[in-house]
Amino acid sequence: MSPLTPPPKVWGPLSPACHLVCGSDVSLITSARLYIKPDTSDLCIIPSPSGIMDLSSMLMVFSLVARSGAFDLGQTTRCVPVPHQMSVCQDVPYSEMRLPNLLGHSSVEEALPRSEEWKTLLHTGCHPQARAFVCSLIAPVCLDRFIQPCRSVCRAVRESCAPVLACHGHAWPEALDCERFPEQDDTCLTPLPKHISAFSKEFPQPACQNCPPVEEVPSLKTVMDALCLNDFAVKAKISRRRLPSSDPELMVEGHVEFIQRGPLLPYDTASLLQRWLLINLRCAHTLVRPGRAQLYLITGTMRPNGSIEVSNLFPWLKKDLHITAATRKWKHHKC
């Protein structure tokens, strides 16, 4: 350790935590939803909504998480800075984390690569508190006691994110059994207020589905039929990163142009399509090669449960005059 680097704080046997308050007597002191009760040191951490590690790597993390079931909350721990490289937890409203963490990682070198494996899941935006749930386990805030996620938070995240795992053939890990976390009280990470969580559910959500057909150089009739038989149609460019990054592997680049808006929301459509790509990775990987981008005409429908399903993908090539003709004709077409 460098002479200029102060030694990490070390906590011995854990004493009762400071009281968490989430009521009307709190004042906002950061934009990251860290609240503090006036004239005290009492905290209430409510994570900001944001929008799943590489799902092919998920099983490796599950085996590591299994160690957390027997984690000793009374063991001696130390506080270290949250590393800048831990991109999944850069938005947390604190600067120091505890080690060993609640997944049993005893060093930053061990915790850091494990944290990065959650990126793809978190990028799907499967739940507003998924990031806070993960960070409370892998980079727990450095107070005088561990702040675990409340059981209700775990259940809410599981309800929304388990279907994403199921889409990739994985079950919710037994090691993250929500019953191992405490009931909601003043010493655990509490759920978002009901009006915030209800608001997030009002947005259309991407569906896990079988891969839709991708048809190159379609006929004019094929495109017109697709426009007539679906609820929405958009023009969007899909790009795929060549090298690992803190950003999602697949992105919707630039502006999304509506051919037929239907149930889509103008300010949410790019995010919705990107989350569809990340949830349906097996399909998405066939759409564009690493390091490339491709323009598509995308049509789809809204299921009875409010989720969005993609029905057709037409690569919009420069030589393809039928797609251009169909989108122009559609403005005055009666199905």
Side-chain angles (χ1 to χ4, degrees):
M1 181 177 296
S2 166
L4 298 179
T5 304
K9 294 192 291 289
V10 176
W11 300 89
L14 303 176
S15 57
C18 63
H19 184 64
L20 298 178
V21 289
C22 298
S24 58
D25 61 338
V26 298
S27 58
L28 180 64
I29 62 169
T30 78
S31 60
R33 287 182 168 79
L34 171 63
Y35 296 84
I36 186 165
K37 189 174 181 180
D39 303 318
T40 76
S41 61
D42 297 345
L43 295 175
C44 174
I45 300 170
I46 301 180
S48 56
S50 59
I52 177 160
M53 71 188 184
D54 181 350
L55 290 173
S56 64
S57 303
M58 181 72 81
L59 294 179
M60 176 170 61
V61 173
F62 290 172
S63 66
L64 292 166
V65 170
R67 295 156 53 186
S68 65
F71 184 78
D72 180 10
L73 291 175
Q75 70 177 294
T76 298
T77 64
R78 68 188 190 280
C79 294
V80 300
V82 178
H84 294 298
Q85 302 94 321
M86 191 175 283
S87 58
V88 298
C89 297
Q90 282 305 297
D91 292 334
V92 294
Y94 51 87
S95 60
E96 290 189 312
M97 56 182 275
R98 278 186 174 281
L99 287 176
N101 61 22
L102 287 167
L103 299 186
H105 306 141
S106 58
S107 68
V108 169
E109 291 74 20
E110 185 181 4
L112 187 57
R114 301 288 78 83
S115 70
E116 292 302 290
E117 291 164 348
W118 291 91
K119 284 194 303 186
T120 306
L121 175 59
L122 301 179
H123 282 315
T124 67
C126 55
H127 189 274
Q129 281 188 293
R131 188 177 300 272
F133 175 72
V134 169
C135 290
S136 70
L137 300 174
I138 208 161
V141 61
C142 194
L143 297 175
D144 61 346
R145 181 174 178 174
F146 277 106
I147 305 299
Q148 299 185 79
C150 295
R151 191 175 303 169
S152 55
V153 171
C154 178
R155 287 171 175 169
V157 172
R158 181 183 62 188
E159 180 183 356
S160 296
C161 297
V164 178
L165 296 181
C167 191
H168 294 259
H170 303 310
W172 183 260
E174 292 183 6
L176 290 185
D177 179 7
C178 296
E179 301 308 307
R180 67 176 284 256
F181 298 115
E183 290 280 8
Q184 185 169 331
D185 58 21
D186 61 358
T187 60
C188 64
L189 181 70
T190 56
L192 289 170
K194 288 185 178 180
H195 69 279
I196 296 178
S197 56
F199 177 75
S200 65
K201 292 181 180 180
E202 293 177 3
F203 290 89
Q205 299 298 318
C208 169
Q209 61 173 95
N210 294 326
C211 295
V214 179
E215 186 171 349
E216 293 188 8
V217 196
S219 67
L220 178 63
K221 182 180 185 304
T222 297
V223 180
M224 294 301 297
D225 287 347
L227 292 174
C228 285
L229 294 173
N230 286 282
D231 297 328
F232 67 86
V234 298
K235 178 182 180 181
K237 180 180 285 189
I238 299 171
S239 65
R240 183 176 175 185
R241 296 186 182 277
R242 185 183 301 275
L243 300 174
S245 166
S246 59
D247 294 319
E249 178 189 6
L250 290 133
M251 302 278 290
V252 175
E253 275 191 11
H255 177 67
V256 174
E257 180 182 338
F258 289 99
I259 309 301
Q260 179 184 359
R261 202 182 92 178
L264 302 182
L265 302 173
Y267 47 85
D268 183 57
T269 299
S271 171
L272 175 68
L273 292 176
Q274 185 161 309
R275 286 181 284 130
W276 183 91
L277 294 169
L278 296 173
I279 289 173
N280 297 279
L281 270 178
R282 182 172 57 88
C283 307
H285 281 160
T286 67
L287 300 179
V288 59
R289 289 179 291 174
R292 303 294 293 272
Q294 176 61 55
L295 192 63
Y296 277 93
L297 172 65
I298 304 171
T299 67
T301 60
M302 176 175 276
R303 292 177 173 178
N305 65 359
S307 63
I308 294 297
E309 178 177 335
V310 172
S311 304
N312 304 92
L313 292 127
F314 300 107
W316 200 319
L317 309 173
K318 289 183 179 180
K319 63 181 180 180
D320 192 339
L321 301 179
H322 289 155
I323 294 179
T324 302
T327 55
R328 290 175 178 171
K329 186 177 180 181
W330 170 254
K331 297 177 182 179
H332 310 288
H333 182 71
K334 292 184 179 180
C335 296

